[in-house]
């Protein structure tokens, strides 16, 4: 399986989302790898170095890739490959989406992020990407219920699919990242309880795409792995 994290905007939580998903699926026993396609900045690669330095488990492989096609070739060796794409890379974003089983687009509540991210999704749809494969996720979400409702309404009017769960903006999450941890590895239970359902929601989307899986039930954990099914890539 391949999840592409696509963005035309920097600073919307793209790499943080990639790392969070990788850790949660790895904790559930999946073999996971992050393809860091932002070879200039390498945020996920640098995070991996901090994680290794602090000997944090589970181990999550991260590698820089100069091309999408090379990352996709390596995806055959893993149950889940997460493509952490660069910002402002329209052509590469389309390539990622073409190979992906799921395309996620992170955004905040701000129109400064919402507008260009909607344009990204519209570009993908015009290029032939199935709109049902594209899901918006609120990341670095820090605001009132009214702000969230307004942002959801904006995306709904634009015809976009938005996930119910989100990734909040918290100082503890930033601190965890500095230590090589994901957003779900913070010490505060309330933060973990809010963010982990996002991984479960995504699991419920991608697991039915795995061949030979009948009526998958994913409520409090993420499963199955290749022990019970073959991956699509």
């Amino acid at each position: 399986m391949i999840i592409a994290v696509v963005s035309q905007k920097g600073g919307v939580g793209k790499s943080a989302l990639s790392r969070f998903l990788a850790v949660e699926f790895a904790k559930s026993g999946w073999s996971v790898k992050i393809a860091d396609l932002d070879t200039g900045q390498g945020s996920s690669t640098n995070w991996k170095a901090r994680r290794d330095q602090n000997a944090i488990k589970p181990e999550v492989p991260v590698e820089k890739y100069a091309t999408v096609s090379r990352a996709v070739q390596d995806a055959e060796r893993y149950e889940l490959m997460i493509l952490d794409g660069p910002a402002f890379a329209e052509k590469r974003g389309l390539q990622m989406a073409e190979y992906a089983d799921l395309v996620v687009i992170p955004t905040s509540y701000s129109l400064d992020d919402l507008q260009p991210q909607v344009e990204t999704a519209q570009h993908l749809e015009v290029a032939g990407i199935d709109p049902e494969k594209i899901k918006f996720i609120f990341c670095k979400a820090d605001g009132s219920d009214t702000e969230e409702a307004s942002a959801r309404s904006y995306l709904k009017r634009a015809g976009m699919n938005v996930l119910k769960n989100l990734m909040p903006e918290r100082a503890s999450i930033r601190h965890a990242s500095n230590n090589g941890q994901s957003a779900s590895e913070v010490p505060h239970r309330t933060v973990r309880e809010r963010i982990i359902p996002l991984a479960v929601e995504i699991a419920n989307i991608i697991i039915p795409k795995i061949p030979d899986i009948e009526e998958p039930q994913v409520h409090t954990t993420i499963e199955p792995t290749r022990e019970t099914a073959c991956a699509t890539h």
Side-chain angles (χ1 to χ4, degrees):
M1 303 297 291
I2 296 176
I3 296 176
V5 185
V6 176
S7 176
Q8 276 296 100
K9 282 279 295 183
V12 290
K14 174 177 55 61
S15 293
L17 177 61
S18 299
R19 300 185 300 242
F20 157 68
L21 293 175
V23 167
E24 287 307 302
F25 276 86
K27 284 181 178 178
S28 190
W30 289 51
S31 60
V32 185
K33 186 174 188 177
I34 299 174
D36 190 346
L37 290 158
D38 191 348
T39 55
Q41 186 165 322
S43 296
S44 286
T45 302
N46 295 333
W47 170 84
K48 166 64 172 173
R50 298 192 298 270
R51 190 173 183 85
D52 288 347
Q53 184 177 16
N54 290 318
I56 298 171
K57 301 295 182 181
E59 184 176 351
V60 178
V62 180
E63 183 177 344
K64 284 186 179 182
Y65 290 89
T67 66
V68 175
S69 60
R70 183 70 181 85
V72 170
Q73 288 177 2
D74 273 4
E76 297 178 357
R77 299 165 48 206
Y78 297 88
E79 289 164 335
L80 177 63
M81 176 73 87
I82 299 175
L83 305 180
D84 181 10
F88 314 112
E90 188 172 292
K91 181 178 179 181
R92 185 168 290 187
L94 176 57
Q95 291 174 333
M96 292 165 59
E98 289 172 337
Y99 285 112
D101 298 285
L102 175 67
V103 178
V104 296
I105 300 180
T107 183
S108 72
Y109 298 151
S110 169
L111 281 176
D112 287 340
D113 294 335
L114 287 165
Q115 288 179 334
Q117 297 298 67
V118 166
E119 290 173 2
T120 297
Q122 290 171 337
H123 167 76
L124 295 177
E125 291 176 12
V126 169
I129 302 301
D130 182 358
E132 289 301 314
K133 193 166 75 169
I134 303 171
K135 310 294 183 184
F136 274 74
I137 297 175
F138 289 118
C139 291
K140 295 189 173 181
D142 184 17
S144 65
D145 292 343
T146 301
E147 284 182 289
E148 180 181 345
S150 177
R152 288 187 181 277
S153 177
Y154 178 88
L155 292 174
K156 183 178 180 180
R157 292 196 304 272
M160 300 295 132
N161 299 305
V162 192
L163 296 193
K164 174 184 177 181
N165 294 287
L166 52 77
M167 177 180 289
E169 173 77 345
R170 296 289 186 272
S172 59
I173 292 177
R174 295 192 296 272
H175 181 72
S177 178
N178 292 341
N179 291 331
Q181 296 170 298
S182 79
S184 58
E185 295 175 307
V186 300
H188 306 295
R189 181 173 58 85
T190 55
V191 176
R192 297 195 304 271
E193 288 178 345
R194 187 174 187 194
I195 192 171
I196 289 175
L198 173 59
V200 177
E201 186 175 8
I202 289 177
N204 276 313
I205 294 172
I206 67 170
I207 286 175
K209 299 176 183 288
I210 301 175
D212 304 323
I213 295 297
E214 297 181 0
E215 299 181 1
Q217 300 294 319
V218 184
H219 301 293
T220 59
T221 187
I222 299 173
E223 54 181 315
T225 68
R226 274 194 186 137
E227 293 178 358
T228 55
C230 296
T232 58
H233 292 88

